[in-house]
PDB file of all heavy atoms in Angstrom:
ATOM      1  N   LEU A  35     247.408 117.093  35.703  1.00  0.00           N
ATOM      2  CA  LEU A  35     247.733 118.501  35.479  1.00  0.00           C
ATOM      3  C   LEU A  35     246.588 119.257  34.826  1.00  0.00           C
ATOM      4  O   LEU A  35     246.492 120.479  34.952  1.00  0.00           O
ATOM      5  CB  LEU A  35     248.999 118.617  34.620  1.00  0.00           C
ATOM      6  CG  LEU A  35     250.250 117.924  35.208  1.00  0.00           C
ATOM      7  CD1 LEU A  35     251.411 118.020  34.204  1.00  0.00           C
ATOM      8  CD2 LEU A  35     250.620 118.521  36.546  1.00  0.00           C
ATOM      9  N   LYS A  36     245.711 118.519  34.142  1.00  0.00           N
ATOM     10  CA  LYS A  36     244.566 119.153  33.465  1.00  0.00           C
ATOM     11  C   LYS A  36     243.280 118.462  33.941  1.00  0.00           C
ATOM     12  O   LYS A  36     243.246 117.246  34.105  1.00  0.00           O
ATOM     13  CB  LYS A  36     244.696 119.011  31.954  1.00  0.00           C
ATOM     14  CG  LYS A  36     245.885 119.760  31.370  1.00  0.00           C
ATOM     15  CD  LYS A  36     246.006 119.506  29.902  1.00  0.00           C
ATOM     16  CE  LYS A  36     247.020 118.391  29.752  1.00  0.00           C
ATOM     17  NZ  LYS A  36     247.259 117.887  28.441  1.00  0.00           N
ATOM     18  N   ASN A  37     242.239 119.260  34.130  1.00  0.00           N
ATOM     19  CA  ASN A  37     240.973 118.675  34.611  1.00  0.00           C
ATOM     20  C   ASN A  37     240.268 117.857  33.540  1.00  0.00           C
ATOM     21  O   ASN A  37     239.318 117.131  33.834  1.00  0.00           O
ATOM     22  CB  ASN A  37     240.049 119.737  35.176  1.00  0.00           C
ATOM     23  CG  ASN A  37     239.585 120.736  34.162  1.00  0.00           C
ATOM     24  OD1 ASN A  37     240.106 120.786  33.051  1.00  0.00           O
ATOM     25  ND2 ASN A  37     238.627 121.554  34.526  1.00  0.00           N
ATOM     26  N   ASP A  38     240.723 117.936  32.297  1.00  0.00           N
ATOM     27  CA  ASP A  38     240.125 117.111  31.235  1.00  0.00           C
ATOM     28  C   ASP A  38     241.057 115.986  30.802  1.00  0.00           C
ATOM     29  O   ASP A  38     240.942 115.439  29.714  1.00  0.00           O
ATOM     30  CB  ASP A  38     239.721 117.985  30.048  1.00  0.00           C
ATOM     31  CG  ASP A  38     240.892 118.691  29.386  1.00  0.00           C
ATOM     32  OD1 ASP A  38     241.999 118.727  29.969  1.00  0.00           O
ATOM     33  OD2 ASP A  38     240.712 119.232  28.281  1.00  0.00           O
ATOM     34  N   CYS A  39     242.003 115.609  31.672  1.00  0.00           N
ATOM     35  CA  CYS A  39     242.940 114.524  31.389  1.00  0.00           C
ATOM     36  C   CYS A  39     242.171 113.225  31.141  1.00  0.00           C
ATOM     37  O   CYS A  39     241.168 112.933  31.795  1.00  0.00           O
ATOM     38  CB  CYS A  39     243.902 114.341  32.563  1.00  0.00           C
ATOM     39  SG  CYS A  39     245.007 112.912  32.391  1.00  0.00           S
ATOM     40  N   LYS A  40     242.667 112.433  30.200  1.00  0.00           N
ATOM     41  CA  LYS A  40     242.071 111.153  29.874  1.00  0.00           C
ATOM     42  C   LYS A  40     241.982 110.249  31.115  1.00  0.00           C
ATOM     43  O   LYS A  40     241.043 109.466  31.266  1.00  0.00           O
ATOM     44  CB  LYS A  40     242.912 110.489  28.789  1.00  0.00           C
ATOM     45  CG  LYS A  40     242.414 109.155  28.301  1.00  0.00           C
ATOM     46  CD  LYS A  40     243.333 108.645  27.199  1.00  0.00           C
ATOM     47  CE  LYS A  40     242.909 107.269  26.766  1.00  0.00           C
ATOM     48  NZ  LYS A  40     243.780 106.749  25.695  1.00  0.00           N
ATOM     49  N   GLY A  41     242.944 110.376  32.015  1.00  0.00           N
ATOM     50  CA  GLY A  41     242.965 109.560  33.236  1.00  0.00           C
ATOM     51  C   GLY A  41     241.822 109.846  34.187  1.00  0.00           C
ATOM     52  O   GLY A  41     241.508 109.032  35.042  1.00  0.00           O
ATOM     53  N   LEU A  42     241.205 111.003  34.073  1.00  0.00           N
ATOM     54  CA  LEU A  42     240.059 111.348  34.925  1.00  0.00           C
ATOM     55  C   LEU A  42     238.713 110.947  34.322  1.00  0.00           C
ATOM     56  O   LEU A  42     237.681 111.114  34.956  1.00  0.00           O
ATOM     57  CB  LEU A  42     240.055 112.857  35.204  1.00  0.00           C
ATOM     58  CG  LEU A  42     241.074 113.363  36.233  1.00  0.00           C
ATOM     59  CD1 LEU A  42     241.116 114.889  36.216  1.00  0.00           C
ATOM     60  CD2 LEU A  42     240.739 112.854  37.620  1.00  0.00           C
ATOM     61  N   SER A  43     238.727 110.426  33.115  1.00  0.00           N
ATOM     62  CA  SER A  43     237.470 110.161  32.405  1.00  0.00           C
ATOM     63  C   SER A  43     236.614 109.086  33.084  1.00  0.00           C
ATOM     64  O   SER A  43     235.401 109.063  32.891  1.00  0.00           O
ATOM     65  CB  SER A  43     237.746 109.760  30.947  1.00  0.00           C
ATOM     66  OG  SER A  43     238.492 108.560  30.889  1.00  0.00           O
ATOM     67  N   HIS A  44     237.209 108.234  33.890  1.00  0.00           N
ATOM     68  CA  HIS A  44     236.450 107.183  34.566  1.00  0.00           C
ATOM     69  C   HIS A  44     236.132 107.513  36.029  1.00  0.00           C
ATOM     70  O   HIS A  44     235.614 106.665  36.750  1.00  0.00           O
ATOM     71  CB  HIS A  44     237.195 105.852  34.492  1.00  0.00           C
ATOM     72  CG  HIS A  44     237.369 105.356  33.085  1.00  0.00           C
ATOM     73  ND1 HIS A  44     236.326 104.899  32.327  1.00  0.00           N
ATOM     74  CD2 HIS A  44     238.462 105.267  32.302  1.00  0.00           C
ATOM     75  CE1 HIS A  44     236.771 104.541  31.135  1.00  0.00           C
ATOM     76  NE2 HIS A  44     238.063 104.757  31.092  1.00  0.00           N
ATOM     77  N   CYS A  45     236.430 108.730  36.430  1.00  0.00           N
ATOM     78  CA  CYS A  45     236.161 109.132  37.806  1.00  0.00           C
ATOM     79  C   CYS A  45     234.652 109.253  38.021  1.00  0.00           C
ATOM     80  O   CYS A  45     233.974 110.003  37.329  1.00  0.00           O
ATOM     81  CB  CYS A  45     236.838 110.475  38.118  1.00  0.00           C
ATOM     82  SG  CYS A  45     236.506 111.072  39.789  1.00  0.00           S
ATOM     83  N   THR A  46     234.117 108.474  38.978  1.00  0.00           N
ATOM     84  CA  THR A  46     232.684 108.527  39.269  1.00  0.00           C
ATOM     85  C   THR A  46     232.404 109.382  40.510  1.00  0.00           C
ATOM     86  O   THR A  46     231.272 109.501  40.927  1.00  0.00           O
ATOM     87  CB  THR A  46     232.130 107.108  39.485  1.00  0.00           C
ATOM     88  OG1 THR A  46     232.855 106.482  40.543  1.00  0.00           O
ATOM     89  CG2 THR A  46     232.242 106.275  38.225  1.00  0.00           C
ATOM     90  N   HIS A  47     233.465 109.921  41.080  1.00  0.00           N
ATOM     91  CA  HIS A  47     233.353 110.803  42.227  1.00  0.00           C
ATOM     92  C   HIS A  47     233.634 112.231  41.768  1.00  0.00           C
ATOM     93  O   HIS A  47     233.852 112.487  40.587  1.00  0.00           O
ATOM     94  CB  HIS A  47     234.342 110.391  43.322  1.00  0.00           C
ATOM     95  CG  HIS A  47     234.010 109.093  43.959  1.00  0.00           C
ATOM     96  ND1 HIS A  47     234.164 107.866  43.333  1.00  0.00           N
ATOM     97  CD2 HIS A  47     233.531 108.804  45.183  1.00  0.00           C
ATOM     98  CE1 HIS A  47     233.802 106.900  44.128  1.00  0.00           C
ATOM     99  NE2 HIS A  47     233.404 107.430  45.273  1.00  0.00           N
ATOM    100  N   GLN A  48     233.670 113.141  42.695  1.00  0.00           N
ATOM    101  CA  GLN A  48     233.955 114.533  42.380  1.00  0.00           C
ATOM    102  C   GLN A  48     235.433 114.712  42.029  1.00  0.00           C
ATOM    103  O   GLN A  48     236.298 114.072  42.617  1.00  0.00           O
ATOM    104  CB  GLN A  48     233.617 115.406  43.589  1.00  0.00           C
ATOM    105  CG  GLN A  48     233.770 116.882  43.333  1.00  0.00           C
ATOM    106  CD  GLN A  48     233.326 117.702  44.538  1.00  0.00           C
ATOM    107  OE1 GLN A  48     232.945 117.159  45.575  1.00  0.00           O
ATOM    108  NE2 GLN A  48     233.377 118.988  44.410  1.00  0.00           N
ATOM    109  N   ILE A  49     235.724 115.554  41.053  1.00  0.00           N
ATOM    110  CA  ILE A  49     237.093 115.912  40.711  1.00  0.00           C
ATOM    111  C   ILE A  49     237.429 117.165  41.518  1.00  0.00           C
ATOM    112  O   ILE A  49     236.727 118.155  41.456  1.00  0.00           O
ATOM    113  CB  ILE A  49     237.245 116.171  39.187  1.00  0.00           C
ATOM    114  CG1 ILE A  49     236.961 114.872  38.427  1.00  0.00           C
ATOM    115  CG2 ILE A  49     238.647 116.693  38.878  1.00  0.00           C
ATOM    116  CD1 ILE A  49     236.907 115.022  36.923  1.00  0.00           C
ATOM    117  N   VAL A  50     238.516 117.070  42.274  1.00  0.00           N
ATOM    118  CA  VAL A  50     238.887 118.113  43.224  1.00  0.00           C
ATOM    119  C   VAL A  50     240.181 118.780  42.781  1.00  0.00           C
ATOM    120  O   VAL A  50     241.137 118.110  42.397  1.00  0.00           O
ATOM    121  CB  VAL A  50     239.079 117.510  44.637  1.00  0.00           C
ATOM    122  CG1 VAL A  50     239.484 118.569  45.630  1.00  0.00           C
ATOM    123  CG2 VAL A  50     237.817 116.805  45.078  1.00  0.00           C
ATOM    124  N   GLU A  51     240.208 120.117  42.856  1.00  0.00           N
ATOM    125  CA  GLU A  51     241.440 120.869  42.582  1.00  0.00           C
ATOM    126  C   GLU A  51     242.226 121.003  43.875  1.00  0.00           C
ATOM    127  O   GLU A  51     241.664 121.310  44.935  1.00  0.00           O
ATOM    128  CB  GLU A  51     241.091 122.253  42.037  1.00  0.00           C
ATOM    129  CG  GLU A  51     242.317 123.071  41.677  1.00  0.00           C
ATOM    130  CD  GLU A  51     241.938 124.447  41.177  1.00  0.00           C
ATOM    131  OE1 GLU A  51     241.612 124.565  39.972  1.00  0.00           O
ATOM    132  OE2 GLU A  51     241.962 125.405  41.978  1.00  0.00           O
ATOM    133  N   THR A  52     243.523 120.755  43.797  1.00  0.00           N
ATOM    134  CA  THR A  52     244.400 120.886  44.957  1.00  0.00           C
ATOM    135  C   THR A  52     245.775 121.319  44.452  1.00  0.00           C
ATOM    136  O   THR A  52     245.934 121.597  43.274  1.00  0.00           O
ATOM    137  CB  THR A  52     244.460 119.553  45.746  1.00  0.00           C
ATOM    138  OG1 THR A  52     245.195 119.764  46.947  1.00  0.00           O
ATOM    139  CG2 THR A  52     245.080 118.439  44.952  1.00  0.00           C
ATOM    140  N   THR A  53     246.742 121.380  45.332  1.00  0.00           N
ATOM    141  CA  THR A  53     248.091 121.725  44.884  1.00  0.00           C
ATOM    142  C   THR A  53     248.887 120.434  44.671  1.00  0.00           C
ATOM    143  O   THR A  53     248.577 119.382  45.255  1.00  0.00           O
ATOM    144  CB  THR A  53     248.839 122.588  45.923  1.00  0.00           C
ATOM    145  OG1 THR A  53     248.986 121.838  47.140  1.00  0.00           O
ATOM    146  CG2 THR A  53     248.113 123.889  46.178  1.00  0.00           C
ATOM    147  N   GLU A  54     249.899 120.535  43.831  1.00  0.00           N
ATOM    148  CA  GLU A  54     250.754 119.385  43.577  1.00  0.00           C
ATOM    149  C   GLU A  54     251.406 118.900  44.874  1.00  0.00           C
ATOM    150  O   GLU A  54     251.510 117.702  45.133  1.00  0.00           O
ATOM    151  CB  GLU A  54     251.811 119.728  42.529  1.00  0.00           C
ATOM    152  CG  GLU A  54     252.685 118.572  42.144  1.00  0.00           C
ATOM    153  CD  GLU A  54     253.647 118.923  41.027  1.00  0.00           C
ATOM    154  OE1 GLU A  54     254.012 120.094  40.886  1.00  0.00           O
ATOM    155  OE2 GLU A  54     254.048 117.994  40.310  1.00  0.00           O
ATOM    156  N   GLU A  55     251.810 119.838  45.687  1.00  0.00           N
ATOM    157  CA  GLU A  55     252.453 119.519  46.966  1.00  0.00           C
ATOM    158  C   GLU A  55     251.515 118.689  47.853  1.00  0.00           C
ATOM    159  O   GLU A  55     251.910 117.660  48.413  1.00  0.00           O
ATOM    160  CB  GLU A  55     252.854 120.792  47.678  1.00  0.00           C
ATOM    161  CG  GLU A  55     253.499 120.575  49.030  1.00  0.00           C
ATOM    162  CD  GLU A  55     253.860 121.874  49.722  1.00  0.00           C
ATOM    163  OE1 GLU A  55     253.077 122.855  49.649  1.00  0.00           O
ATOM    164  OE2 GLU A  55     254.925 121.905  50.361  1.00  0.00           O
TER     165      GLU A  55
END
Side-chain angles (χ1 to χ4, degrees):
L35 302 176
K36 296 176 264 176
N37 65 348
D38 62 347
C39 174
K40 181 178 176 180
L42 284 170
S43 63
H44 297 290
C45 178
T46 57
H47 291 72
Q48 184 176 3
I49 296 173
V50 179
E51 182 181 278
T52 187
T53 63
E54 183 175 27
E55 179 182 39

